[in-house]
Amino acid sequence: MVHENSLLQMTEQLLECVEISDSRFKKVKESGEKGDFYNEVKPFADNVKSINDRWKEEALEWIGIHKPRNLYPQQIESAAEHIEMVSIQAFFPETSKTRFINYVNSAVYVLNQLIKLVGEEKKGT
C-alpha cells in the first residue's frame, strides 16, 4: 500500500538532495578540489541512496495503481539513476558539466511531476 504522504515526503527530500548536489557541484567546479571520499562523498551518497531506493519502489507502485497519463515507470527508473549519479558526481570537478546539468534537470522534472500528480490525486479523494 502506497502512502501518498510518505511518497511526497521522500520526493521532497530527494529534490532537496538534488539541489544540495547541484550547489556542491558548482563549488567543486570553482575550487577544483575533490570531496573527501569517506567524510563527504560516501555518507551523502549512502543517505541519498537509501531514500532513493525506497522512493523508487513506492513511486513505481503508485504509478502502477493510479496510471497517470504523463508519468511512466521508465521515467521513475531514469530519475532514480540520475539522482544516484549526481549525488556522487557532485564531489568531482572532472565531472562533465553538461551531463551533470542534464541529469539534475531530468531528475527535478520527474520529481516535480510526481509531486504535482500525487497532490492532484489527494485532492480528488
Side-chain angles (χ1 to χ4, degrees), residues 1-14:
M1 175 74 199
V2 177
H3 297 286
E4 271 96 358
N5 291 339
S6 156
L7 181 57
L8 279 174
Q9 189 178 18
M10 283 188 283
T11 307
E12 306 230 345
Q13 283 178 310
L14 287 175

Side-chain angles (χ1 to χ4, degrees), residues 2-122:
V2 177
H3 297 286
E4 271 96 358
N5 291 339
S6 156
L7 181 57
L8 279 174
Q9 189 178 18
M10 283 188 283
T11 307
E12 306 230 345
Q13 283 178 310
L14 287 175
L15 260 177
E16 196 176 310
C17 291
V18 170
E19 286 169 17
I20 291 167
S21 297
D22 192 35
S23 63
R24 177 68 201 201
F25 180 69
K26 288 173 182 156
K27 285 180 195 159
V28 165
K29 272 296 197 194
E30 276 178 29
S31 70
E33 291 178 29
K34 289 181 181 181
D36 179 88
F37 185 77
Y38 290 103
N39 293 322
E40 293 176 293
V41 182
K42 187 166 175 21
F44 182 72
D46 286 348
N47 180 45
V48 170
K49 181 167 175 34
S50 78
I51 299 166
N52 197 21
D53 288 348
R54 288 193 328 266
W55 172 80
K56 182 171 91 169
E57 196 177 297
E58 284 202 28
L60 288 171
E61 191 179 330
W62 188 87
I63 286 177
I65 293 167
H66 297 280
K67 300 189 182 355
R69 267 186 285 175
N70 47 359
L71 192 61
Y72 302 97
Q74 183 55 45
Q75 287 173 286
I76 298 296
E77 300 274 354
S78 293
E81 269 180 47
H82 293 164
I83 291 164
E84 207 166 310
M85 281 192 262
V86 299
S87 74
I88 296 167
Q89 292 176 354
F91 293 89
F92 299 98
E94 61 272 11
T95 298
S96 161
K97 185 176 182 181
T98 305
R99 188 174 321 143
F100 186 86
I101 290 168
N102 288 341
Y103 287 159
V104 165
N105 290 342
S106 172
V108 166
Y109 173 80
V110 172
L111 292 168
N112 282 327
Q113 195 68 10
L114 187 63
I115 288 171
K116 182 179 156 225
L117 291 167
V118 171
E120 286 172 4
E121 192 67 37
K122 280 180 74 175

